[in-house]
Amino acid sequence: MADAIGDAILAALDDSSRRFVFPSEVAARDRLERSLERSGRKALPLERFISWDAFKALAFPGPSQGRPASSALRSVFARALMEENAGKPFLNALVPRSKAAASPRFARMVAKALPALRDLDGLRLLSPLLRDWQAIRERYAAFLSERALFEPGWNDRTALALSGSYTLFYPDLTTDWTDYEQAVRAMPNAALILAGEERTRYPAAAFATIVDEVRAVLIGLQKAITEGIDPARILISVAAPESVLPILEREAAVAGVSLDMREARPLSESAGGRLLADLLRLAQSQRSFSAMRSLLLDRSRPWKEGLNPRALIDLGIRKHVLAALPTIDIWEASMGAKDDEERKLYRGLRSASERIAEAAGFGQLRSAFDAFRRAFLDEAGWTLAQNDEIARCIRELEALEEASKAAGLGRIQGAAAAYLEELEELRYLPVSEAGGVQVYRFPVAAGCMPAVHFVLNLSEGAAQAASRPLSFLRDDERERLGARDRDLSSGLIALLVRSGERVVLSYSEDGPDGIRAAHQAIDPQSPKSAGLADDRDAWLPNADCLAPSGTAALRQAAVFPIQSSSARAALATVLPPRAAMHGSSGGSDARSYSEGSPERARLLGSALRERVAAAQSTDGALTISDTLIEELESCAFKRLFYRYLKLRPVDTGLSFVDALMTGSIYHNALESLFRPLAEAGLSIVCGESANGGEEGAGASGEARRPDTAELAAALDEAIALQERVHGPFAGMLLRTSRPAFLRDLERALDALLPKLDTHVPIIVEKPNLSAALPERDAMLVGRMDLVCAPRQGAGREPGRGAVIIDFKKRSLPKLKELAPDEDGRLGRYQMPAYAYLLKASGYEPEAAYYLSIEGPSGGGKRLVCAFGDEPKAAVPLEALPALLTALESAAARAAGRLRRGEVYLPREDDQERICADCDYRPLCRAHYTVH
Ligand code: SF4
């Protein structure tokens, strides 16, 4: 590519009085380096290669006896001004007088607009909004002149008589060129090289998606490096980097390409900014759990030794610290006698964050922030980059402190919030620690001359650059005043086309934010004709292309040599040998447990198998419950990790009053209600419905037993028990829900008691029962919620018949799960297991019911009869023997699987149903595997 800029520089290099001016600092630095290379000189003065901004500072320096206003000063001024407007309104349209109290919220907008208020010159101030801005401008001008300050953007546009001579490259591609054009053109010693009107369309590689585009660029980049081009001489420019950089970073990391992102980020996202924001949010939210979690679980923070931030979060989770309460400090109220360390940490954070939030000036804020860091953080533990970021944040805080002194401002309410706003405005580019291919935001690198320059994402919306006069006004105001945007993007793309020995432009139709049009200055073409191969197969090695001799493998090895051999090595160790994967039982040494299916299970190693069997045995016999049977019928992999390895996800979030807690309340309340009857041998009396239902008096004519008053007391006792375990916040929430709990329990009893009239409770939650199984060395175990026996004749002794009740919070089993399928298998083994246990204890099961306390979702009856004499029973009583046979077979299957140490996932057809809400997905990876 011809290099007109380079040639012009070279031709004038011997004239030591000539300086070269470029649109950006990046281009100026790059051109200095290229000029050294091309001229063969050892050194050149830095000040001969300057940016447009540096040139303006030389030619238009402002009043000689003043100091330029800083961004901190603008911020401080705007805040004070808008606070003044809140107290004594002088603005009418920018902030309507009726809303003047909200003025401080506009401070940031005003601070940003101040440098551009010079554009008001010469305008007829007809609208109230323009008059408001003029009023702000006048106050700002008075403020500056009282303090011998000046606003650089307002400087006189008469250029100084500079010594030497200047060549300005493409100044018309800068946003404020028109402001200075007349003065610069009048300078006798300034030569201009202008872009002018640009109408050419340049070939650009077009891709379907941004991911394809990024990958093609990375492949092109790898090829360039393989050809021997120094990575330091390759540049990437990205239009709208906010949405593309995450994709570029991710793909480059996968491809092992090192990038050096030269994209400044707001200081508020730096280590110091985030820390301050978290502390402020902690105080403002009155120490909400989520604010506490953001502060304490940010693992980049070096907490002092001896502090245990995780313990405080765990306490919040255990005690359900869901929200701040107006009357009590819920964290304090949730701590017990053993929580001294957590209490100390909590109190320290509370007072430190409040000091920061309440600081009434930047000086006070600085001391509060420093005190927090000294008390809680091990400053030696910050990384170099974090240290840099914090130092920069502190410098900005000092600048604000100085500015507020210069402005003569006393107390500044909300200093921390103002500081944080300032950090959001300031951008910070860290010194790059490692080398890598430099990546710039479009169009910063326009004018550079690398060996290869990739320019990505040239869509209409992304590649934007324009000069916007009166940008502080609303669009309708701008239009009325005839303000016209001056588009610079086509000229910048034309300059980028000349900014490299080889330049590749590219665009994708489906970008990060959806389908978009190509920029008008490009001509989308096939990647190949635009100089970029669309070689998808050359993207990283995958399992199908790892055969060493395949053509795809050879291409990949050429482009990604390290990744190719690493992937081959990794696959050899990660995946088991093919024979082991597809053998009928897998062999005891095949450890890829998630490869197993119910028909082709993987096997535990002998040591692990024995430990599992031991954990599942009592006195040498395997203990089998309906839960074990059902878990093994669905996913043995999950059971292995959950029951035996006890591997559980770590909670970092809060649960509200969850189903488990509510279910416990119902169980405890019903236990308290029925146990006294069991102990006294008293029968249940259906009696009058608590809700005015139709049941009427019981057969005996006695009053209802247990009665509603007893239910209320039993519920209160159950809530108190949960509060002791889960803390005061949970107790408070449960009491709020008490009327609903009571209503549901009463309705559930209304549905249940008619089935139990004259029956005596014989089992209420206890005891656990066990029974020998035909399977050798195996016994069935189980615990029932409620079992009642009909009273025998007129005596008090219960008979041997048994009605089984199982309480469910809401959902009930489906009838088809309760009846044997064509293979004689069941979806639920719970009731047959209970019937089996009761028979072994000398009872004759007569019926079994599931009772939904809250009523099944979607409506319907609260009771489901699993077996019995009822017409709607899932299984008639006479078919009970078939259920018991199905149970014995399932227990034998479960025992066999346990003894063999089988591990497997559900069949694929069953996974949607079984795997819903399972926490073990990242382990089994059943839902991530591409077959
Ligand atoms: S997600 Fe499915 S296959 Fe994986 S462990 Fe859970 S239940 Fe088993």
Side-chain angles (χ1 to χ4, degrees):
M1 168 74 61
D3 180 13
I5 299 179
D7 294 345
I9 294 171
L10 214 57
L13 207 56
D14 288 340
D15 174 3
S16 59
S17 70
R18 182 161 290 273
R19 296 183 180 193
F20 307 101
V21 182
F22 303 89
S24 71
E25 188 65 34
V26 171
R29 287 286 79 79
D30 182 82
R31 283 299 175 175
L32 170 64
E33 287 170 21
R34 297 289 82 78
S35 302
L36 286 169
E37 271 171 28
R38 284 189 70 181
S39 65
R41 295 184 185 220
K42 294 270 185 288
L44 279 166
L46 211 55
E47 63 272 15
R48 289 189 64 193
F49 294 79
I50 60 174
S51 67
W52 166 246
D53 285 340
F55 171 77
K56 283 186 297 181
L58 288 174
F60 309 93
S64 54
Q65 310 77 357
R67 282 181 301 121
S70 63
S71 137
L73 189 102
R74 278 180 215 119
S75 171
V76 165
F77 167 80
R79 185 156 284 271
L81 185 83
M82 296 314 276
E83 264 163 22
E84 185 190 334
N85 190 61
K88 255 207 243 159
F90 61 92
L91 299 172
N92 294 301
L94 188 62
V95 186
R97 290 210 171 209
S98 58
K99 302 274 188 289
S103 299
R105 285 198 228 146
F106 293 76
R108 196 168 165 191
M109 184 184 90
V110 169
K112 280 167 82 172
L114 292 174
L117 293 184
R118 183 183 192 276
D119 293 355
L120 293 170
D121 275 356
L123 292 181
R124 292 179 63 207
L125 306 176
L126 295 177
S127 78
L129 184 62
L130 281 174
R131 285 196 290 276
D132 274 0
W133 281 116
Q134 178 62 14
I136 291 173
R137 183 188 175 186
E138 283 165 9
R139 284 169 191 245
Y140 184 44
F143 171 85
L144 293 175
S145 93
E146 280 164 23
R147 290 162 181 81
L149 295 161
F150 65 87
E151 177 55 65
W154 297 8
N155 286 347
D156 194 5
R157 299 300 196 245
T158 311
L160 279 190
L162 297 178
S163 61
S165 53
Y166 293 81
T167 302
L168 282 79
F169 295 103
Y170 309 108
D172 53 337
L173 294 179
T174 60
T175 52
D176 54 358
W177 165 242
T178 46
D179 288 353
Y180 296 90
E181 180 176 358
Q182 205 180 352
V184 175
R185 282 185 187 276
M187 289 171 72
N189 51 351
L192 303 181
I193 297 177
L194 301 174
E197 279 284 299
E198 187 56 63
R199 298 209 183 277
T200 318
R201 292 173 75 219
Y202 300 95
F207 295 87
T209 70
I210 184 74
V211 174
D212 291 339
E213 184 185 353
V214 164
R215 287 182 177 176
V217 165
L218 289 169
I219 290 173
L221 193 150
Q222 283 280 35
K223 282 183 175 164
I225 294 172
T226 313
E227 285 161 15
I229 295 175
D230 180 354
R233 298 239 28 228
I234 302 176
L235 280 190
I236 299 179
S237 287
V238 184
E242 301 76 17
S243 49
V244 177
L245 284 190
I247 300 169
L248 180 62
E249 283 177 301
R250 183 193 72 202
E251 297 296 323
V254 171
V257 175
S258 204
L259 297 179
D260 182 9
M261 299 291 178
R262 308 313 294 153
E263 169 70 358
R265 300 194 187 224
L267 261 179
S268 54
E269 291 174 16
S270 70
R274 283 188 294 111
L275 180 59
L276 182 88
D278 283 351
L279 284 163
L280 195 56
R281 196 156 79 84
L282 191 70
Q284 287 170 340
S285 68
Q286 299 193 313
R287 297 159 303 283
S288 74
F289 178 83
S290 77
M292 192 67 91
R293 182 175 55 185
S294 306
L295 176 69
L296 295 181
L297 293 194
D298 185 326
R299 299 175 78 113
S300 70
R301 287 174 189 153
W303 295 98
K304 274 211 158 126
E305 211 174 310
L307 296 179
N308 190 351
R310 176 75 225 192
L312 187 55
I313 294 300
D314 285 343
L315 183 136
I317 294 171
R318 247 187 358 261
K319 299 294 180 184
H320 304 266
V321 179
L322 281 159
L325 296 177
T327 47
I328 56 166
D329 184 325
I330 188 63
W331 285 93
E332 290 265 9
S334 301
M335 291 176 193
K338 292 184 186 153
D339 301 322
D340 281 346
E341 275 186 27
E342 289 85 345
R343 190 178 289 108
K344 195 168 156 215
L345 174 59
Y346 172 74
R347 287 180 180 171
L349 291 174
R350 181 176 59 194
S351 58
S353 62
E354 279 173 355
R355 271 191 72 202
I356 285 172
E358 287 162 11
F362 297 114
Q364 269 187 30
L365 176 59
R366 167 81 199 264
S367 1
F369 194 40
D370 285 349
F372 165 80
R373 286 163 45 220
R374 274 195 305 275
F376 292 95
L377 299 178
D378 173 10
E379 301 271 18
W382 292 114
T383 63
L384 278 180
Q386 287 174 320
N387 250 331
D388 254 19
E389 290 173 0
I390 289 173
R392 175 72 196 278
C393 289
I394 296 294
R395 269 207 305 283
E396 295 303 335
L397 183 53
E398 287 167 350
L400 283 171
E401 194 183 346
E402 270 170 33
S404 63
K405 275 189 197 148
L409 299 178
R411 292 169 64 81
I412 298 177
Q413 287 308 332
Y419 175 46
L420 205 54
E421 277 183 8
E422 180 73 0
L423 294 184
E424 279 166 26
E425 289 302 317
L426 297 168
R427 299 184 84 82
Y428 170 72
L429 184 62
V431 178
S432 49
E433 285 181 345
V437 175
Q438 296 193 330
V439 181
Y440 288 100
R441 165 186 288 268
F442 167 92
V444 174
C448 296
M449 187 44 71
V452 186
H453 194 163
F454 297 99
V455 188
L456 275 89
N457 199 30
L458 292 176
S459 74
E460 188 67 58
Q464 280 189 344
S467 149
R468 275 175 62 81
L470 298 171
S471 56
F472 54 90
L473 290 178
R474 290 192 315 253
D475 282 349
D476 59 328
E477 285 278 350
R478 294 183 68 235
E479 204 165 310
R480 208 141 46 80
L481 294 168
R484 296 267 175 277
D485 288 359
R486 187 169 62 92
D487 178 51
L488 304 172
S489 58
S490 296
L492 286 163
I493 289 176
L495 178 55
L496 278 163
V497 169
R498 298 192 287 277
S499 298
E501 290 162 24
R502 179 156 76 89
V503 179
V504 183
L505 309 184
S506 63
Y507 146 81
S508 47
E509 192 182 359
D510 192 354
D513 308 316
I515 305 292
R516 68 265 171 87
H519 192 281
Q520 59 185 2
I522 65 165
D523 175 17
Q525 300 187 355
S526 77
K528 200 168 174 194
S529 57
L532 199 59
D534 186 12
D535 197 358
R536 284 158 181 255
D537 285 347
W539 185 244
L540 286 178
N542 58 52
D544 292 340
C545 298
L546 280 176
S549 56
T551 42
L554 290 175
R555 272 212 305 280
Q556 290 159 0
V559 183
F560 297 103
I562 298 170
Q563 290 76 14
S564 182
S565 48
S566 301
R568 206 171 282 125
L571 285 176
T573 54
V574 170
L575 297 182
R578 296 254 156 195
M581 286 169 69
H582 298 297
S584 61
S585 65
S588 63
D589 59 343
R591 298 290 158 75
S592 182
Y593 297 139
S594 60
E595 294 287 335
S597 66
E599 292 74 25
R600 292 182 167 190
R602 318 308 300 162
L603 298 183
L604 295 176
S606 53
L608 190 50
R609 189 178 63 223
E610 277 163 26
R611 291 181 68 175
V612 166
Q616 199 56 58
S617 300
T618 304
D619 299 331
L622 281 179
T623 52
I624 295 182
S625 65
D626 57 290
T627 309
L628 178 139
I629 292 173
E630 287 175 14
E631 287 182 2
L632 287 182
E633 294 277 322
S634 55
C635 182
F637 181 90
K638 178 176 175 179
R639 184 175 171 91
L640 173 70
F641 284 87
Y642 185 73
R643 301 278 175 197
Y644 306 118
L645 301 180
K646 303 210 185 299
L647 196 83
R648 310 274 160 89
V650 177
D651 271 345
T652 54
L654 288 174
S655 59
F656 202 60
V657 173
D658 58 12
L660 201 62
M661 208 189 297
T662 316
S664 303
I665 286 180
Y666 294 145
H667 272 81
N668 294 340
L670 291 169
E671 183 181 353
S672 303
L673 202 62
F674 286 108
R675 182 172 299 291
L677 303 191
E679 286 170 356
L682 287 172
S683 61
I684 290 163
V685 180
C686 175
E688 190 77 29
S689 159
N691 290 299
E694 293 169 359
E695 287 79 9
S700 61
E702 294 172 73
R704 180 175 236 207
R705 193 164 57 215
D707 80 15
T708 312
E710 288 167 356
L711 181 59
L715 178 59
D716 289 337
E717 201 182 305
I719 290 176
L721 177 65
Q722 293 302 316
E723 183 174 20
R724 283 200 289 283
V725 178
H726 294 284
F729 203 107
M732 196 185 61
L733 290 174
L734 292 172
R735 271 188 210 95
T736 312
S737 307
R738 183 183 180 276
F741 291 152
L742 191 57
R743 178 202 62 206
D744 287 335
L745 282 164
E746 283 173 354
R747 288 181 181 169
L749 285 178
D750 284 349
L752 177 66
L753 292 192
K755 305 287 180 196
L756 299 179
D757 197 25
T758 74
H759 286 57
V760 180
I762 51 171
I763 293 178
V764 186
E765 299 280 346
K766 286 188 209 117
N768 293 352
L769 297 185
S770 62
L773 285 163
E775 174 74 15
R776 75 180 159 86
D777 295 336
M779 63 178 173
L780 187 70
V781 293
R783 188 168 105 152
M784 285 152 253
D785 293 343
L786 177 65
V787 180
C788 298
R791 196 163 55 190
Q792 253 183 346
R796 290 175 68 92
E797 273 301 296
R800 303 311 290 171
V803 178
I804 308 165
I805 316 295
D806 190 74
F807 303 131
K808 297 283 180 216
K809 178 179 174 289
R810 182 171 283 273
S811 50
L812 293 169
K814 297 190 174 62
L815 290 183
K816 68 174 185 202
E817 293 179 291
L818 302 172
D821 65 12
E822 54 201 21
D823 299 327
R825 296 190 182 206
L826 293 163
R828 299 291 185 103
Y829 286 92
Q830 187 179 25
M831 290 307 190
Y834 292 172
Y836 199 93
L837 291 166
L838 286 169
K839 270 176 105 52
S841 301
Y843 291 96
E844 269 314 317
E846 293 174 351
Y849 295 96
Y850 286 104
L851 173 67
S852 167
I853 308 290
E854 294 174 356
S857 8
K861 299 242 181 247
R862 278 184 153 80
L863 270 183
V864 162
C865 182
F867 65 80
D869 275 336
E870 295 196 8
K872 287 199 175 159
V875 175
L877 185 58
E878 63 266 23
L880 180 58
L883 293 185
L884 301 182
T885 307
L887 172 82
E888 284 179 344
S889 307
R893 270 198 309 278
R897 287 186 150 152
L898 272 177
R899 289 191 174 112
R900 288 190 296 278
E902 289 186 6
V903 191
Y904 46 84
L905 268 44
R907 288 175 201 92
E908 275 184 46
D909 289 354
D910 295 333
Q911 285 179 5
E912 193 178 337
R913 175 177 53 87
I914 293 176
C915 304
D917 305 324
C918 176
D919 287 330
Y920 290 83
R921 287 169 185 231
L923 287 181
C924 71
R925 306 195 64 77
H927 299 265
Y928 302 96
T929 311
V930 179
H931 294 285

